[in-house]
Each structure stands twice: as structure tokens, then as C-alpha cells.
């Protein structure tokens, strides 16, 4: 009888605690949340990914052939666009956690993205909105580059898409994950794998069907289909409105973070007490003197346990004793939970930074590798040619089968060895992906050297486009580990009220990776052009460029970055309040000792 009451209590807690329905009423057990609610969000994930991938992955072709931008500028336009998409995810995460909530943020910016697709398809359809047709590959012709109103329309359309997609992405992940309890590590891990599977399906359809339509029926039809897919995705989102579990918002998430830094700087001359009991809002007294505190209580507590890193920030919790016994301002005295929340945000920054090079490699696969494939033999049969952008579908064809195998075969096997619900930890998963990514650029460099050598020796003799398939395959495997591991890591390490923003940091890594790609292209051209023969990437013709050397440079940077990640992943310290394992109360004072128990247990 008691066990039955406990089950009912847990079910009630999983639905009601801190979550509301679309009318801001408390959630009801069995009605809100779970995989049934998440399916509507996964539908939007697949369709939105399909829409934007069809635009982003073939955008360089449109910019080069229709807008008449030079090749290096076209590559930078694409990388800047993709970088902006992911940078704006921080805005989406902030608005969601602070004011609007994930569901309302997704609706608002979903329609912004849809308007961008519609404007882009209109420009691609109407000749008067584009420069006159011209062959950019012909040295005899000098094409007019899009400028003035035509250029403005293009950039407005593209950045409406960027604004909508950027603010949408972190909330798709966080709203879906919010349908499950954070302590249900197994269900959460399964959801993140399902979300990546939906992502792969969207990418696969975009890179096969939609890119083929763009190539054979025109970019206007392709962009129009992207708009239609986005509209259907928004309908999917609306279908689950009454089933979602939504986090309530409590104002700006940056205010308590700013208060900690202001208070710590104000009290910088104070000496941290040796006893945690003297710090404001410390939970150590409760934890240390009541050893019967359950794991569930730790998970559902709004307070974080103390960790030893960044002790300077602990000064924000020091109480100033005076005779008047006046209460100190929140900008001078913070709780231990506030301080630990800031420690988590600061601690994840090095992990985030280590994935930037990984996404710089991704930028090459969406720009130079597509252009690389366009001057190779694209014939599959006498009457059928493969669109170069469709090569990016190769890893997703593989991943559609590999992701379910990872969930159903690898995770259960790893679980028996490690004892973890998710098989391997998110940080371990990211590390495996970063190591594999290096070999994608090694393969790309070798193939490009072979292609260029043959093209210079005998121009009519071009190698098959399938030679560049390995670089996409290798990166696809690395992305399955890195991308999913990073999202899972950020979500599980976030505290209540910051899930969307910390998840957005995952996408911000994509942004910095693409911006770094643009910077590297410009720097490499500037440095290597001093010989008087032009830079490695300064010509519109890849046969005159040295793309292979650029790929070798990225391979070297990726290899160095992997060892940098090993250092920071070992340095990172989990807060025992938010780990997805059983943490004993005795581990409250030091999260490193708690994690040692977890690793060995």
C-alpha cells in the first residue's frame, strides 16, 4: 500500500513540480509530458531541419551562380549566415528562460523563419529581383554582383531565416527534454538520440530530394518547398499544445548571475570562512547532519551543493556583521545556490570552446567541399548526375541506421561495462567525436591533392565525385558522438530556469566555428599571398588554389584541439546536485570526491 502511494507521489511530482500547461495551470499526471508530447516537437525538428538544410547546404551555389559573388566571398556569406543562425540561439535561449517560455518563443520565431523562406523563394523566382544571368566560371565574362535593392532583399531574406532558426533551435531541444524528468537519465538520453535521428532524417531529405529539386527544377521551387516544410512543422508544434509541460519564467536569467559577480567584487577583500555553515544559503548543515536525505530530494531541491572551484565567488555569500542587523542588498549578498549556478556557467565555457574547431571543419564540408564536388565527375549513369550538395547526404544515410544501433546495441553494452544509464558519459562521447573529426580533414586533404594533380595533368580526366565521400562519412560518425554528447552535457548540467540558454551554448559553438572558418580563409589568403602568386584560396578556380594545404592545416588544428579537450574535460568538475547518478550526502562538500565515487561505482 505504501509503495503504491509512493509511485503515485512520484508520478504527481514528475508532472506538477515547477511545470505548467499552455494556460499556465499546473500539469496533470498522465496528461502532460512524456514521449507522446515530445513526438510533436520531434516532428518540428525534422521539418525545420529539412527546410533550413536545403537552403544552407546549397546556398553557396545560389550565391555564386545567381548573386554573382566571388567564390571566397560566397563561402564567407554562407559561413557567416550559418554562424549567425547559431549565434542567435543565445537570444532564443535568453528570451525563453527569462520571459516567453520555450513554446511561445518557438511559435514567434517559427513564423519569422517562415517569412524569410517565402521572401527568399520570391527573389529566386522573379528575375527582376536578381542580377542578369551570367556564367561565373567563364573568364571572358564579367558578371554583375548583386548590390543595392537586390542585395538588400537577399540579405534581409537570409537573415530573417537566420533569426527565426537561431531562436528556434535551442528551444526545440529544451522543450522536448522538458517533457521528461532530468533525473530520468535513460529516457533523456533516448530522447536526445531520437532528436538527432529526426535531425538526420531532415538533413537526408534536404540533401537528396530538395537539393535535387533545386538543381533540376530551380532554386525558387526548392526554396518554396522549404517554406512549405516549415509551415507543416509549425502545424506539428501546435498539435501538441495541450500536452506540453512548460517551465514558468521568472525574469532575466542574467540578473542573479550579475549579482554574484558584483557581490564577489565588492567583498573581494573579505576572507572566505573555513566552515561552509557561515556562508549565506549554504545547505551543508542540512546535508551533513541528516544522512537520510534521499537522492530524489537532492534532485528536486532548488539549491545546489557547494564545490571548491572558483572560491573567489564564494565571497558573494559572506555576511557582513554590523550592529544595526540590516539586511544586505541582493547585489551584496547572494545565496550559495546562486554562486554555484554561476560556477556551472563559467565551468562549461572551456568545454564549449573546445568544440569550435570541430564546427570549423563542418563549415568546410558545407562550402569548399561542395564546390570541390562541382568540378568532379558527377555522373552516376549516362543520364543521371549527382548534385554536389547531395554528397552531404552520405553520412546521414549511414546515420539513419547507425543512430538506432547506437541506442539499441552500443548503449546497453556500454551500460553493462560502465554502469551508466547513458552508456558512456556525455563528456566521453564528445571526446570520441573530436578525435574522429581529425581524420575527416586528413581524408579531404589527400583526395583534393589527388583531384588537383589529375586536373592539372589532364584537364578532361576528372575523378569521380565519390572520392570525397569518405570525408563526409568520417565526419558524420564524429558528429553523432560530439553533437549529441554536447547537447546532453549542457542540458543535464543546467539548473532550473537556464536549460534553454545553456543548450543554446551548444549551437553557439557552431556559430563560432563558422565565423572562425571565415577568419581562417581571410588570414590564409593574406599570409600565403605574400609570395606574389596569390593565396591558397584566392582564385575562383580550385585547380589554381591549394585547398589541400588548407585541409591539412585544419587537420593539424583539430588534432591539437583534441588534446586541449582532454585537459579541460579532466579539469571539469560536476556539481553533485545535477549529476544523473546516486550521490551520497557525504559528498556534498566536494564534487570531485562525489564524481570519483560515481566513476568507480
Amino acid at each position: 500500500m505504501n509503495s503504491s502511494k509512493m509511485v503515485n507521489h512520484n508520478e504527481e511530482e514528475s508532472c506538477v513540480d515547477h511545470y505548467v500547461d499552455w494556460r499556465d495551470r499546473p500539469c496533470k499526471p498522465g496528461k502532460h509530458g512524456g514521449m507522446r508530447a515530445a513526438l510533436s516537437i520531434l516532428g518540428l525538428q525534422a521539418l525545420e531541419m529539412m527546410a533550413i538544410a536545403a537552403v544552407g547546404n546549397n546556398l553557396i551555389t545560389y550565391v555564386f551562380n545567381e548573386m554573382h559573388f566571388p567564390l571566397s566571398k560566397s563561402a564567407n556569406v554562407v559561413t557567416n549566415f550559418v554562424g549567425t543562425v547559431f549565434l542567435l540561439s543565445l537570444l532564443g535561449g535568453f528570451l525563453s528562460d527569462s520571459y516567453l517560455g520555450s513554446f511561445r518563443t518557438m511559435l514567434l520565431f517559427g513564423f519569422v523563419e517562415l517569412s524569410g523562406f517565402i521572401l527568399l523563394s520570391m527573389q529566386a523566382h522573379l528575375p527582376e529581383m536578381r542580377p542578369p544571368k551570367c556564367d561565373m566560371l567563364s573568364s571572358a565574362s564579367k558578371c554583375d554582383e548583386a548590390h543595392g535593392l537586390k542585395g538588400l532583399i537577399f540579405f534581409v531574406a537570409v537573415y530573417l531565416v537566420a533569426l527565426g532558426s537561431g531562436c528556434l533551435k535551442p528551444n526545440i531541444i529544451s522543450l522536448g527534454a522538458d517533457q521528461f524528468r532530468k533525473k530520468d537519465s535513460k529516457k533523456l538520453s533516448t530522447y536526445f538520440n531520437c532528436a538527432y535521428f529526426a535531425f538526420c532524417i531532415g538533413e537526408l531529405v534536404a540533401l537528396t530530394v530538395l537539393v535535387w529539386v533545386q538543381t533540376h527544377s530551380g532554386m525558387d521551387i526548392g526554396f518554396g518547398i522549404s517554406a512549405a516544410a516549415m509551415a507543416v512543422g509549425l502545424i506539428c508544434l501546435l498539435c501538441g499544445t495541450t500536452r506540453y509541460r512548460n517551465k514558468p519564467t521568472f525574469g532575466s536569467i542574467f540578473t542573479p548571475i550579475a549579482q554574484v559577480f558584483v557581490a564577489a567584487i565588492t567583498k573581494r577583500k573579505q576572507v572566505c570562512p573555513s566552515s561552509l555553515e557561515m556562508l549565506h544559503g549554504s545547505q551543508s548543515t542540512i546535508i551533513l547532519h541528516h544522512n537520510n536525505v534521499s537522492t530524489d530530494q537532492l534532485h528536486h531541491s532548488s539549491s545546489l551543493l557547494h564545490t571548491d572551484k572558483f572560491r573567489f565567488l564564494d565571497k558573494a555569500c559572506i555576511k557582513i556583521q554590523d550592529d544595526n542587523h540590516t539586511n544586505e542588498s541582493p547585489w551584496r549578498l547572494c545565496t550559495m545556490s546562486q554562486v554555484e549556478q554561476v560556477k556551472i556557467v563559467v565551468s562549461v565555457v572551456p568545454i564549449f570552446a573546445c568544440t569550435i574547431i570541430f564546427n570549423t571543419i563542418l563549415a568546410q564540408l558545407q562550402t569548399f567541399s561542395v564546390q570541390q564536388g562541382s568540378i568532379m565527375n558527377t555522373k552516376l549513369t549516362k543520364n543521371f548526375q549527382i548534385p554536389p550538395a547531395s554528397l552531404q547526404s552520405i553520412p546521414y544515410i549511414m546515420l539513419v541506421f547507425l543512430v538506432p544501433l547506437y541506442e539499441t546495441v552500443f548503449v546497453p553494452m556500454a551500460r553493462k561495462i560502465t554502469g551508466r544509464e547513458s552508456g558512456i558519459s556525455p563528456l566521453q562521447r564528445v571526446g570520441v567525436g573530436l578525435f574522429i573529426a581529425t581524420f575527416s580533414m586528413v581524408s579531404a586533404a589527400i583526395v583534393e591533392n589527388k583531384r588537383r594533380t589529375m586536373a592539372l595533368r589532364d584537364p578532361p580526366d576528372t575523378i569521380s565525385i565519390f572520392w570525397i565521400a569518405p570525408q563526409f562519412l568520417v565526419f558524420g560518425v564524429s558528429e553523432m558522438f560530439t553533437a549529441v554528447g554536447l547537447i546532453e552535457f549542457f542540458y543535464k548540467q543546467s539548473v532550473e530556469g537556464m536549460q534553454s540558454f545553456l543548450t543554446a551554448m551548444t549551437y553557439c559553438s557552431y556559430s563560432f566555428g563558422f565565423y572562425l572558418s571565415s577568419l581562417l580563409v581571410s588570414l590564409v589568403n593574406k599570409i600565403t599571398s605574400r609570395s606574389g602568386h596569390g593565396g591558397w584560396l584566392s582564385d575562383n578556380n580550385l585547380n589554381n588554389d591549394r585547398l589541400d594545404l588548407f585541409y591539412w592545416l585544419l587537420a593539424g588544428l583539430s588534432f591539437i584541439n583534441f588534446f586541449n579537450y582532454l585537459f579541460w574535460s579532466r579539469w571539469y568538475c560536476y556539481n553533485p546536485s545535477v549529476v544523473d547518478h546516486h550521490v551520497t550526502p557525504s559528498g556534498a562538500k566536494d564534487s570531485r570526491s562525489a564524481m570519483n565515487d560515481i566513476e568507480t561505482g
Side-chain angles (χ1 to χ4, degrees):
M1 185 67 180
N2 290 336
S3 62
S4 176
K5 289 182 179 179
M6 185 177 296
V7 170
N8 290 335
H9 171 73
N10 288 337
E11 288 179 355
E12 180 78 20
E13 183 181 45
S14 69
C15 288
V16 177
D17 191 26
H18 303 303
Y19 286 89
V20 295
D21 67 3
W22 68 292
R23 292 183 177 178
D24 293 327
R25 300 172 303 188
C27 291
K28 295 181 180 179
K31 182 179 179 181
H32 301 95
M35 186 56 74
R36 184 179 63 174
L39 285 175
S40 297
I41 302 166
L42 292 175
L44 174 63
Q45 165 86 343
L47 289 162
E48 193 274 339
M49 195 66 242
M50 181 194 310
I52 196 167
V55 172
N57 288 317
N58 210 22
L59 187 60
I60 189 171
T61 303
Y62 179 73
V63 175
F64 183 71
N65 293 332
E66 302 295 337
M67 297 291 105
H68 303 158
F69 291 166
L71 179 58
S72 60
K73 185 176 180 179
S74 297
N76 284 348
V77 166
V78 176
T79 51
N80 289 340
F81 160 70
V82 178
T84 302
V85 169
F86 296 119
L87 184 62
L88 286 170
S89 65
L90 291 177
L91 174 63
F94 168 74
L95 290 176
S96 169
D97 286 336
S98 300
Y99 303 110
L100 299 177
S102 293
F103 178 65
R104 294 184 180 93
T105 304
M106 290 165 66
L107 271 184
L108 173 62
F109 289 99
F111 282 103
V112 170
E113 184 176 0
L114 177 60
S115 66
F117 284 130
I118 292 172
L119 183 57
L120 197 57
S121 60
M122 287 175 59
Q123 184 182 45
H125 181 70
L126 300 174
E128 58 268 25
M129 297 176 70
R130 306 189 310 274
K133 280 194 171 293
C134 179
D135 184 6
M136 286 290 287
L137 295 177
S138 174
S139 58
S141 62
K142 189 174 182 180
C143 301
D144 292 334
E145 183 177 328
H147 61 277
L149 181 61
K150 296 172 183 176
L152 178 64
I153 292 173
F154 169 73
F155 284 110
V156 167
V158 162
Y159 283 99
L160 277 175
V161 172
L163 174 62
S165 182
C167 292
L168 200 67
K169 288 185 182 301
N171 290 294
I172 292 176
I173 296 297
S174 62
L175 181 62
D178 286 343
Q179 307 313 307
F180 309 92
R181 290 179 295 174
K182 188 183 287 190
K183 75 168 192 172
D184 291 332
S185 180
K186 183 177 179 180
K187 291 181 180 179
L188 266 177
S189 182
T190 298
Y191 165 74
F192 288 123
N193 284 323
C194 289
Y196 188 66
F197 181 77
F199 165 86
C200 291
I201 292 292
E203 282 273 14
L204 181 59
V205 174
L207 294 170
T208 52
V209 178
L210 297 191
V211 168
W212 187 90
V213 169
Q214 290 171 352
T215 304
H216 293 84
S217 300
M219 299 295 289
D220 54 341
I221 302 297
F223 291 158
I225 294 176
S226 290
M230 187 67 217
V232 175
L234 289 173
I235 293 172
C236 276
L237 176 67
L238 288 169
C239 287
T241 301
T242 59
R243 294 195 296 267
Y244 297 140
R245 298 173 67 226
N246 303 292
K247 298 190 307 289
T249 57
F250 301 100
S252 174
I253 59 173
F254 291 141
T255 299
I257 294 176
Q259 287 173 342
V260 170
F261 283 110
V262 170
I265 293 172
T266 302
K267 298 179 178 179
R268 61 189 179 277
K269 295 182 180 180
Q270 298 291 326
V271 178
C272 284
S274 57
S275 173
L276 296 180
E277 298 175 18
M278 299 178 67
L279 295 177
H280 179 57
S282 174
Q283 298 295 307
S284 59
T285 305
I286 299 173
I287 298 295
L288 292 174
H289 289 85
H290 300 280
N291 291 330
N292 60 347
V293 176
S294 69
T295 304
D296 282 354
Q297 286 175 300
L298 287 177
H299 275 288
H300 292 287
S301 173
S302 60
S303 299
L304 295 171
L305 305 183
H306 180 263
T307 57
D308 286 333
K309 282 192 182 299
F310 307 113
R311 290 298 304 271
F312 169 78
L313 295 176
D314 290 344
K315 295 183 178 183
C317 303
I318 298 177
K319 299 177 183 178
I320 301 298
Q321 302 294 333
D322 55 33
D323 296 333
N324 296 326
H325 299 286
T326 57
N327 292 328
E328 292 187 79
S329 162
W331 292 91
R332 291 183 58 85
L333 180 64
C334 303
T335 66
M336 179 57 65
S337 183
Q338 266 184 274
V339 171
E340 290 303 318
Q341 181 173 332
V342 174
K343 287 182 181 181
I344 289 175
V345 174
V346 174
S347 295
V348 300
V349 170
I351 303 297
F352 151 83
C354 289
T355 61
I356 293 175
I357 292 292
F358 170 83
N359 290 302
T360 301
I361 293 175
L362 174 62
Q364 313 318 310
L365 300 180
Q366 292 189 3
T367 54
F368 286 115
S369 292
V370 175
Q371 197 65 24
Q372 187 182 7
S374 67
I375 56 175
M376 299 173 76
N377 183 5
T378 60
K379 290 184 177 179
L380 186 61
T381 65
K382 289 183 178 181
N383 300 319
F384 183 78
Q385 292 186 342
I386 301 174
S390 290
L391 278 179
Q392 296 171 80
S393 67
I394 292 175
Y396 296 108
I397 294 173
M398 175 189 65
L399 288 171
V400 164
F401 298 99
L402 197 59
V403 171
L405 284 176
Y406 179 92
E407 176 66 25
T408 58
V409 178
F410 176 80
V411 170
M413 291 176 59
R415 187 181 297 136
K416 292 179 180 179
I417 298 172
T418 65
R420 293 179 178 273
E421 290 290 344
S422 57
I424 59 176
S425 72
L427 285 180
Q428 290 170 337
R429 188 167 181 172
V430 172
V432 171
L434 294 181
F435 178 73
I436 296 173
T438 301
F439 298 98
S440 174
M441 286 295 96
V442 171
S443 171
I446 294 172
V447 170
E448 172 58 14
N449 182 267
K450 177 181 176 64
R451 184 209 63 77
R452 183 175 180 273
T453 300
M454 290 184 62
L456 293 176
R457 186 178 60 213
D458 186 9
D461 185 19
T462 56
I463 64 174
S464 171
I465 196 172
F466 284 107
W467 275 89
I468 63 175
Q471 64 205 56
F472 289 100
L473 284 170
V474 173
F475 188 82
V477 175
S478 71
E479 188 178 40
M480 181 187 71
F481 282 91
T482 301
V484 181
L486 194 64
I487 290 174
E488 185 176 353
F489 167 73
F490 273 105
Y491 186 86
K492 287 183 175 179
Q493 281 301 285
S494 64
V495 293
E496 290 297 330
M498 288 195 69
Q499 284 94 336
S500 295
F501 183 78
L502 284 185
T503 303
M505 289 186 68
T506 304
Y507 294 102
C508 196
S509 170
Y510 284 88
S511 173
F512 285 117
F514 277 75
Y515 284 135
L516 179 60
S517 173
S518 296
L519 179 62
L520 280 176
V521 169
S522 299
L523 284 176
V524 165
N525 276 336
K526 184 175 182 180
I527 294 171
T528 57
S529 62
R530 293 177 180 176
S531 60
H533 300 291
W536 286 356
L537 306 169
S538 61
D539 202 294
N540 285 338
N541 190 339
L542 287 181
N543 292 336
N544 299 328
D545 287 336
R546 293 307 307 267
L547 183 59
D548 56 330
L549 297 181
F550 183 63
Y551 283 154
W552 279 118
L553 172 65
L554 286 174
L557 290 175
S558 178
F559 191 63
I560 295 170
N561 180 65
F562 169 70
F563 288 99
N564 181 46
Y565 173 80
L566 290 182
F567 171 80
W568 289 111
S569 61
R570 289 179 64 85
W571 170 85
Y572 183 78
C573 190
Y574 286 87
N575 189 295
S577 306
V578 294
V579 295
D580 55 340
H581 293 74
H582 295 287
V583 181
T584 59
S586 60
K589 290 184 66 174
D590 183 73
S591 64
R592 174 66 68 185
S593 63
M595 284 309 299
N596 287 337
D597 292 340
I598 291 169
E599 295 290 346
T600 56

